[in-house]
Amino acid sequence: MGGAGEGDAWADQEQGNGGGSRGVGGGGGGEAKRSEIYTYEAAWHIYAMNWSVRRDKKYRLAIASLLEQVTNRVEVVQLDEASGDIAPVLTFDHQYPPTKTMFMPDPHALRPDLLATSADHLRIWRIPSPDDADDGAASANNNNGSVRCNGTPQPGIELRCELNGNRNSDYCGPLTSFDWNDADPRRIGTSSIDTTCTIWDVEREAVDTQLIAHDKEVYDIAWGGAGVFASVSADGSVRVFDLRDKEHSTIIYESGSGGGGGGSNSGAGDGGTASPTPLVRLGWNKQDPRYMATIIMDSPKVVVLDIRYPTLPVVELHRHHAPVNAIAWAPHSSCHICTAGDDMQALIWDLSSMGTGSNGSGNGNGNAAAAAAAEGGLDPILAYTAGAEIEQLQWSATQPDWVAIAFANKLQILRV
């Protein structure tokens, strides 16, 4: 099912640079590390995928199926460092294909081992530890949630809760994505095709805030702090919300206006004359929250934004040859980002020349973008070619030397 050393290594994209990966991975050290690639082959097409955050569960990931049927599958898999094999440690059924999976942001393992999934509802699952099987069975009997998935969860997994943001109906507009707040792990924010974003208090299993975030479907959401989040939508805008002022949002970028209009907004933007193109993914730089990146639907371009200067992107990354599907900021570096797409490539970029990760002057944003455009655009420093279109990409927060990608029915973890 899995093995080491499959596929090609990262290719250095910097001419004359003998070690393109230096400074990218979190391990440090002057000598170049050998490339390591581990592959897991699932029995189905993989879509959702994410790393575990707990430091006591190294090389653990959750993957989920994309099957055109009601019953789908979620697997928790882990790399055995001794054998080099990735193997499933837990498998369970899931109603509808999960659009995203995330482990609770708990690196020091101070809380229960929780996994969240989004589909028709937001579900929180508890993964039991080996020594609490009896407690897990007891809590499962008292579980307030219910599994509507052709049966009950397999032994070993507990559905902690099933959260529906529609108070008036059992029906809930499908959830496109969610993000678990690492600054305040009680909070999960979800995005939905019904134009809303919902902020959940997962300890109380209750809605904290629900707001109409956009004019059209909301495709992604990302936290930028304990009380600040951003979202992207089919209306072509990136909007930032502060939970202290729920009536207003700030438009950081609009795809239809050639660079976007900024400023406060409590309703729809004027959109300009150009028809907006949907924005489908959003990544917020955890190391430097001034920066975020977004993906335009069916576009090979990645747009990097500085929230202080909403009228113009910091830089646009143009080296993909087919639509981009996923982005991930480095968890340990403010100036590195990885992108992946239908051209079967995962590219790592160093944005330090664009002004990210520095304390430069306030007008550096426009100057950097203009310089990049004049030079024909920024080039990536590393590239990896997979065996098919890459649909999912995640950079490990607790093991920053490792990036995971998913394509077709394969999961690969790649050492940077």
Side-chain angles (χ1 to χ4, degrees), residues 3 40 165 374:
Y40 175 74

Side-chain angles (χ1 to χ4, degrees), residues 338-392:
C338 188
T339 62
D342 282 350
D343 58 1
M344 303 189 294
Q345 286 206 308
L347 305 177
I348 293 181
W349 311 74
D350 182 354
L351 304 183
S352 56
S353 62
M354 299 297 103
T356 62
S358 65
N359 296 318
S361 61
N363 60 3
N365 175 61
N367 294 339
E375 296 170 3
L378 192 69
D379 288 321
I381 59 171
L382 293 172
Y384 175 78
T385 302
E389 294 88 347
I390 302 173
E391 295 185 72
Q392 190 58 262

